[in-house]
């Protein structure tokens, strides 16, 4: 079995990370009721004998003693990490795996990337190495951060370069939360643009998440819950509707619920690496099959059902409907409609009591309505994991390498140019040591080149698909 390390950076990254570890523990507790430390748990957790001082307390077999997350927590202000350390998950994190400061990055990519990057590089590297040493077979680093803030965008993308230099053979999967157009951080277009260049150059796969899409999804769930229809009652202590978290109390927007959706995405993404199934898909297979060109590594994700962990007593969707939902724009975790754009490749990660025949039937049913590039008409990668999410009979995560990400990147460039043309707030960045104005021009050039690559692919949409003779295989 392989292991993965989660690196959560900044306020957003640590809040999503906190939800992920909570849900991961619930999921493994539901499956592993005997309390035995097995391969599935070892993928994200170490088993530690807390009576042993130092690093000698790791237990590879037997009963679970004390689980420690394979995680590194980084934030340049202490608030969120302190909340985690005082909350119910405090024993899951090793205090040696935390890096915090008190001043924060002031919503400035340059401060996070240039100042804190150089200041904390050795500490970050030491903690990453320590996490790697605790793994038998480290396969992937999951980096979680926002694009709009200073620490998430700046230090989060600085970290990617460190990972590439020090662990070149280990995959770098990034979950990046993009700000909405109504974001309250005025400098978020600068931060996002500068971070995009780093993602283009140093990530293996990026799962872009749109704050507005998450908010719309939660609003729809609330609408169903409040409709009063039979079977839509909210379960006690529901994660989707709970306002127990300090974050929810401080903000009007339901960030806890939004973060849970992203956490469920990561659980589904890694389900095949953690549990048995008739069609397993390793994380390296996602990168290998879904990323045909190095820079086109942005995967649009959709989840169904959206209220996992049985938060709402809604009757399960029919299996075929679940597949249809995964391709509807209402279930995408960013503002995009892949059905009307061009697919380079698509992965379907199915969990629960689903047969291979169900999977094939639905692909054949949906294929005529989806347009794939001419050279990859059979660009499907599939996975069947036998363990469903807690409280559900089945679920589906779709990952699409699709040109529908282009409008999001074009809008980001537009918002950036509105500020940059006026040189508004630019002095805050240029007064940071090591930050040159040329970095902005290079970032725009990098994103424009990416958009152009998608344009060139879109231009092939109307081209006829050559009818290539194929071998018939008897089933």
């Amino acid at each position: 079995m392989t292991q993965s390390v989660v690196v959560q950076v900044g306020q957003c990254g640590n809040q999503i990370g906190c939800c992920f570890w909570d849900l991961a523990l619930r999921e493994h507790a539901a499956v592993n009721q005997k309390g035995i430390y097995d391969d599935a748990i070892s993928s994200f957790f170490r088993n530690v004998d807390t009576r042993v001082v130092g690093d000698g307390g790791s237990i590879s077999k037997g009963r679970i003693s004390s689980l420690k997350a394979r995680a590194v927590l980084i934030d340049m202000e202490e608030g969120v990490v302190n909340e985690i350390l005082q909350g119910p998950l405090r024993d899951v994190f090793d205090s040696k795996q935390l890096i915090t400061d008190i001043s924060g990055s002031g919503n400035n990519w340059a401060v996070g990337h240039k100042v804190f990057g150089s200041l904390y590089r050795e500490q970050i590297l030491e903690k990453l190495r320590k996490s790697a040493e605790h793994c038998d077979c480290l396969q992937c680093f999951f980096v979680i951060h926002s694009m709009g803030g200073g620490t998430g965008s700046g230090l989060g993308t600085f970290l990617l370069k460190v990972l590439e230099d020090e662990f070149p053979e280990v995959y770098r999967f990034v979950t990046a939360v993009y700000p909405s157009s109504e974001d309250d951080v005025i400098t978020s277009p600068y931060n996002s643009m500068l971070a995009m260049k780093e993602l283009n150059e140093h990530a293996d796969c990026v799962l872009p998440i749109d704050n507005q899409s998450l908010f719309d999804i939660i609003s729809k769930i609330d609408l169903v819950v409040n409709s009063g229809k039979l079977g839509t009652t909210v379960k006690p202590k529901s994660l989707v509707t709970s306002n127990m978290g300090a974050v929810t109390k401080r903000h009007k927007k339901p960030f806890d619920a939004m973060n849970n959706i992203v956490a469920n995405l990561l659980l589904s993404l890694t389900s095949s690496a953690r549990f048995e199934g008739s069609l397993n898909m390793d994380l390296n297979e996602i990168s290998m099959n879904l990323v045909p060109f190095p820079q086109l590594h942005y995967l649009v994700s959709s989840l169904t059902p959206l209220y996992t962990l049985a938060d709402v007593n809604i009757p399960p969707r029919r299996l075929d409907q679940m597949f249809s939902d995964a391709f509807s724009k209402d279930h995408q975790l960013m503002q995009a409609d892949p059905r009307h754009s061009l697919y380079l490749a698509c992965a379907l990660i199915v969990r629960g009591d689903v047969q291979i025949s169900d999977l094939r039937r639905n692909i054949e049913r949906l294929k005529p309505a989806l347009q794939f590039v001419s050279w990859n008409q059979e660009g499907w990668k599939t996975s069947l994991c036998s363990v469903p999410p807690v409280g559900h009979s089945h679920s589906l995560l779709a990952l699409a390498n699709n040109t529908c990400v282009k409008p999001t990147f074009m809008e980001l460039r537009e918002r950036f140019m509105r500020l940059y043309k006026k040189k508004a707030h630019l002095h805050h960045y240029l007064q940071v040591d090591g930050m040159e104005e040329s970095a902005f021009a290079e970032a725009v050039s990098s994103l424009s080149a990416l958009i152009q690559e998608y344009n060139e692919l879109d231009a092939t949409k109307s081209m006829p698909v050559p009818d290539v003779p194929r071998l018939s295989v008897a089933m």
Side-chain angles (χ1 to χ4, degrees):
M1 272 301 222
T2 58
Q3 292 86 41
S4 295
V5 173
V6 176
V7 189
Q8 41 201 70
V9 189
Q11 177 178 329
C12 173
N14 278 291
Q15 286 170 343
I16 291 172
C18 188
C19 292
F20 169 77
W21 294 111
D22 183 26
L23 301 192
L25 284 169
R26 291 181 186 216
E27 188 164 281
H28 284 286
V31 175
N32 186 337
Q33 296 180 357
K34 293 182 179 178
I36 302 298
Y37 184 67
D38 57 14
D39 285 343
I41 296 177
S42 76
S43 58
F44 277 111
F45 295 94
R46 294 166 53 219
N47 190 23
V48 176
D49 185 346
T50 52
R51 295 168 299 181
V52 178
V53 179
D55 290 327
S58 291
I59 308 168
S60 58
K61 292 179 181 176
R63 295 197 64 80
I64 292 171
S65 176
S66 177
L67 291 179
K68 295 292 181 186
R70 299 188 190 277
V72 178
L73 283 63
I74 304 170
D75 200 0
M76 293 299 99
E77 48 189 27
E78 297 175 306
V80 175
V81 174
N82 281 347
E83 277 177 27
I84 294 171
L85 295 181
Q86 291 162 14
L89 293 176
R90 60 186 174 273
D91 294 332
V92 176
F93 299 106
D94 186 338
S95 60
K96 297 172 191 165
Q97 295 302 91
L98 316 175
I99 298 175
T100 58
D101 200 290
I102 54 173
S103 56
S105 297
N107 297 324
N108 188 328
W109 179 91
V111 174
H113 199 88
K114 303 288 185 182
V115 177
F116 288 130
S118 58
L119 188 63
Y120 284 99
R121 187 185 192 283
E122 291 310 312
Q123 278 191 54
I124 290 171
L125 190 50
E126 181 200 340
K127 296 189 189 308
L128 291 171
R129 282 176 179 153
K130 187 63 71 178
S131 295
E133 285 168 11
H134 287 143
C135 298
D136 293 326
C137 181
L138 175 59
Q139 185 181 44
C140 184
F141 285 105
F142 285 99
V143 183
I144 312 172
H145 64 81
S146 73
M147 296 290 280
T151 300
S153 70
L155 195 52
T157 54
F158 175 87
L159 174 81
L160 272 182
K161 180 70 168 70
V162 173
L163 290 173
E164 185 181 44
D165 291 343
E166 298 294 327
F167 305 93
E169 303 303 315
V170 181
Y171 285 92
R172 298 173 299 282
F173 274 67
V174 180
T175 303
V177 181
Y178 286 68
S180 68
S181 55
E182 299 170 6
D183 188 60
D184 60 354
V185 177
I186 294 171
T187 55
S188 69
Y190 284 162
N191 298 332
S192 301
M193 179 64 81
L194 292 161
M196 272 297 295
K197 178 176 181 289
E198 305 299 316
L199 292 185
N200 286 346
E201 294 176 0
H202 306 301
D204 288 310
C205 278
V206 179
L207 305 174
I209 310 290
D210 186 302
N211 253 336
Q212 188 59 50
S213 293
L214 295 178
F215 184 68
D216 291 347
I217 287 167
I218 294 302
S219 299
K220 287 185 189 106
I221 293 174
D222 287 343
L223 198 63
V224 172
V225 169
N226 295 325
S227 66
K229 290 178 184 174
L230 184 66
T232 58
T233 54
V234 186
K235 292 191 173 181
K237 297 184 181 176
S238 156
L239 282 173
V240 162
T241 54
S242 169
N243 63 353
M244 298 298 288
V247 178
T248 315
K249 288 181 180 176
R250 282 203 305 272
H251 298 282
K252 289 182 182 176
K253 289 188 178 181
F255 287 123
D256 274 357
M258 290 159 68
N259 291 339
N260 273 322
I261 289 176
V262 184
N264 278 309
L265 157 67
L266 294 172
L267 280 180
S268 293
L269 181 66
T270 59
S271 60
S272 200
R274 293 181 292 129
F275 301 115
E276 293 298 318
S278 52
L279 269 180
N280 273 15
M281 187 196 299
D282 227 336
L283 291 166
N284 62 342
E285 293 180 79
I286 293 173
S287 178
M288 183 65 68
N289 289 274
L290 264 63
V291 182
F293 306 111
Q295 278 204 312
L296 302 183
H297 54 234
Y298 294 87
L299 308 180
V300 181
S301 49
S302 63
L303 274 173
T304 176
L306 285 163
Y307 18 78
T308 41
L309 268 165
D311 288 310
V312 184
N313 278 322
I314 296 177
R317 305 304 299 264
R318 289 197 336 267
L319 189 62
D320 288 8
Q321 183 62 47
M322 182 178 79
F323 280 88
S324 298
D325 286 347
F327 291 89
S328 84
K329 67 177 183 180
D330 291 342
H331 283 67
Q332 309 303 315
L333 301 193
M334 68 180 298
Q335 303 273 296
D337 190 353
R339 290 174 306 180
H340 296 113
S341 298
L342 191 66
Y343 280 87
L344 282 76
C346 184
L348 299 178
I349 300 172
V350 185
R351 302 183 61 182
D353 186 18
V354 180
Q355 305 303 313
I356 293 177
S357 57
D358 296 321
L359 196 52
R360 288 177 177 162
R361 185 185 74 252
N362 275 286
I363 288 175
E364 290 304 317
R365 177 175 66 85
L366 292 161
K367 252 168 65 173
L370 307 172
Q371 191 160 5
F372 277 72
V373 287
S374 60
W375 40 265
N376 198 22
Q377 286 290 297
E378 303 299 323
W380 297 86
K381 182 66 184 169
T382 54
S383 165
L384 281 179
C385 170
S386 57
V387 178
V390 176
H392 284 271
S393 57
H394 45 250
S395 75
L396 169 62
L397 166 64
L399 297 174
N401 194 337
N402 189 294
T403 59
C404 66
V405 296
K406 185 178 70 174
T408 296
F409 297 155
M410 291 173 70
E411 186 194 345
L412 168 59
R413 184 174 62 180
E414 239 174 77
R415 290 176 59 215
F416 169 86
M417 291 308 297
R418 280 201 294 270
L419 280 180
Y420 189 59
K421 279 177 182 174
K422 300 290 185 185
K423 306 292 186 190
H425 304 281
L426 208 58
H427 62 287
H428 296 302
Y429 291 78
L430 299 182
Q431 68 191 15
V432 174
D433 281 347
M435 186 67 184
E436 304 288 340
E437 191 168 346
S438 59
F440 289 90
E442 288 167 9
V444 176
S445 175
S446 173
L447 185 58
S448 295
L450 181 66
I451 291 169
Q452 183 56 29
E453 287 197 54
Y454 286 116
N455 281 336
E456 288 169 7
L457 284 166
D458 272 336
T460 67
K461 253 171 47 171
S462 54
M463 290 183 182
V465 177
D467 188 17
V468 181
R470 294 181 179 276
L471 285 171
S472 295
V473 180
M475 299 297 286

